[in-house]
Amino acid sequence: MINPVILAIESSCDETSASVIKDGKVLSNIIATQAVHEQYGGVVPELASRAHQQNIIPVVSQALLTANVTKSELSAVAFTRGPGLLGALLIGCSFAKSFALGLGIPIIEVNHMQAHILAHFIEDPKPEFPFLCLTVSGGHTQIVLVKSPLDMEVIGQTTDDAVGEAFDKTAKMLGLPYPGGPMLDKAAALGNPKAFAFPVGNMPGYDYSFSGIKTSVLYFLQKQVKENPAFVQENINDICASVQFTLIKTLLKKLVQASKDLNINQIAIAGGVSANSGLRHTLQEYAKKYNWQVYIPAFQYCTDNAAMIAMAAHFQFLEGDFATQYVSPEPRMKI
């Protein structure tokens, strides 16, 4: 088919999203967020699954309406197979399979992390192959060598917590509201990044570790608060700026090493943490310093969304990469 029209569904965590893509052009990208988790300070899997059940039909209907596409015009239905929360993935997978079966069209299973990388092809400018992509989210921190849309190799990754977890857990230590990462980023913009020194992790090769900095921050705060109970309130911006500076320095240290070793100057970032203003600003500085061509998706395509699932599905459709009705979610799916 020359101009495939694909409906894509994303339900890996706490956002229900649907998108329609036609011949590689995204026509709609509808996202329903779940505010129910705020009172718990984190995502509650069972509540996420229930919210997906409530949201998926209205979200899909709105995506088709916004794209001005009818069900009969669809060429395939795509969905996130993994990684993600099992119950949440089940909702999107089950809906996609039944919807496609009723229409008599194929289904496409999409890897959520590959889709984050392919979000760079939704809008211009687009990176050239091969390129390096730093994928950073609440659950993943990876350096990926991207050889083609369907040929990717993870060359470095975290050995413990992801950088998103380090942001969120530090924010929780500081008493910032959920979601903690964006709150920490906002406070960091008002602080001095050199106010306090924290250790930069140094794992072998291109791998990362973020458990050390979390422990360091915890002990630092315990010591300071013991001496001055108001320490956090009085220094919140400087603490956030210093932690963010250290996390970003840790991330980019390995990226610089990989870029030099592989002689690749096409550099991209993807995933929810790529929305972090400090990371974006520092990456632009590194671009000048190391003569990089840097690519950062628009904000709406950094966090979980179905447009990136649609873009990945478009490339898979062109290669005839379809799934069967026997497919099931894979919560720990790898690139």
Side-chain angles (χ1 to χ4, degrees):
M1 187 173 293
I2 299 176
N3 301 310
V5 181
I6 304 170
L7 168 68
I9 297 166
E10 154 61 18
S11 67
S12 64
C13 192
D14 61 338
E15 277 149 344
T16 314
S17 183
S19 174
V20 176
I21 190 170
K22 181 177 182 180
D23 195 27
K25 181 180 179 181
V26 173
L27 303 181
S28 64
N29 184 39
I30 307 300
I31 304 172
T33 57
Q34 301 177 1
V36 66
H37 306 286
E38 292 179 5
Q39 59 186 305
Y40 300 102
V43 177
V44 181
E46 177 60 28
L47 296 180
S49 300
R50 293 179 186 180
H52 284 307
Q53 286 181 308
Q54 296 170 344
N55 293 336
I56 194 161
I57 291 178
V59 166
V60 167
S61 298
Q62 187 60 49
L64 291 169
L65 184 65
T66 302
N68 195 26
V69 168
T70 63
K71 293 181 291 185
S72 61
E73 295 177 82
L74 294 175
S75 310
V77 179
F79 66 96
T80 301
R81 185 182 181 191
L85 301 174
L86 177 57
L89 292 168
L90 269 170
I91 306 301
C93 175
S94 300
F95 182 91
K97 287 163 65 175
S98 58
F99 197 62
L101 186 63
L103 294 172
I105 56 177
I107 54 175
I108 302 172
E109 59 171 84
V110 174
N111 182 300
H112 181 84
M113 298 311 296
Q114 287 182 328
H116 268 305
I117 295 171
L118 294 175
H120 289 91
F121 294 88
I122 296 174
E123 297 177 341
D124 291 326
K126 299 169 181 148
E128 298 177 2
F129 300 105
F131 65 90
L132 291 174
C133 187
L134 176 66
T135 57
V136 280
S137 68
H140 296 81
T141 301
Q142 302 171 329
I143 298 178
V144 183
L145 173 59
V146 187
K147 304 170 188 176
S148 76
L150 302 182
D151 186 2
M152 304 180 189
E153 177 187 356
V154 177
I155 61 173
Q157 59 189 326
T158 181
T159 58
D160 40 56
D161 289 344
V163 69
E165 291 174 300
F167 272 112
D168 289 339
K169 290 177 181 178
T170 299
K172 197 166 186 177
M173 292 181 209
L174 296 172
L176 296 175
Y178 175 84
M183 296 296 104
L184 189 149
D185 182 26
K186 187 175 181 180
L190 304 174
N192 174 13
K194 302 290 183 67
F196 307 106
F198 298 105
V200 175
N202 189 22
M203 297 294 289
Y206 308 129
D207 286 342
Y208 294 103
S209 172
F210 294 101
S211 60
I213 185 174
K214 283 194 317 174
T215 304
S216 175
V217 171
L218 176 62
Y219 290 163
F220 170 78
L221 293 177
Q222 289 176 339
K223 178 183 177 183
Q224 297 298 329
V225 170
K226 190 174 182 179
E227 298 174 2
N228 174 16
F231 177 79
V232 172
Q233 291 81 0
E234 293 174 357
N235 297 275
I236 186 70
N237 294 335
D238 286 346
I239 298 170
C240 289
S242 299
V243 171
Q244 179 161 289
F245 172 82
T246 305
L247 291 173
I248 292 172
K249 186 176 180 180
T250 302
L251 284 172
L252 297 186
K253 180 180 179 181
K254 297 293 186 177
L255 191 59
V256 168
Q257 183 182 340
S259 172
K260 289 180 178 178
D261 292 346
L262 300 174
N263 194 29
I264 295 176
N265 73 341
Q266 297 277 306
I267 307 295
I269 59 170
V273 181
S274 64
N276 179 277
S277 64
L279 178 57
R280 286 173 170 243
H281 177 72
T282 307
L283 198 63
Q284 296 294 353
E285 292 182 342
Y286 275 49
K288 297 176 183 176
K289 183 176 180 180
Y290 296 106
N291 194 30
W292 285 350
Q293 293 293 320
V294 169
Y295 302 90
I296 307 173
F299 182 81
Q300 64 174 317
Y301 303 129
C302 288
T303 53
D304 293 349
N305 67 92
M308 68 183 194
I309 305 300
M311 182 54 66
H314 170 75
F315 288 116
Q316 291 178 237
F317 187 100
L318 297 180
E319 294 295 323
D321 183 10
F322 302 115
T324 72
Q325 283 288 330
Y326 296 103
V327 67
S328 60
E330 191 174 337
R332 298 185 181 278
M333 192 175 189
K334 299 183 183 300
I335 290 180

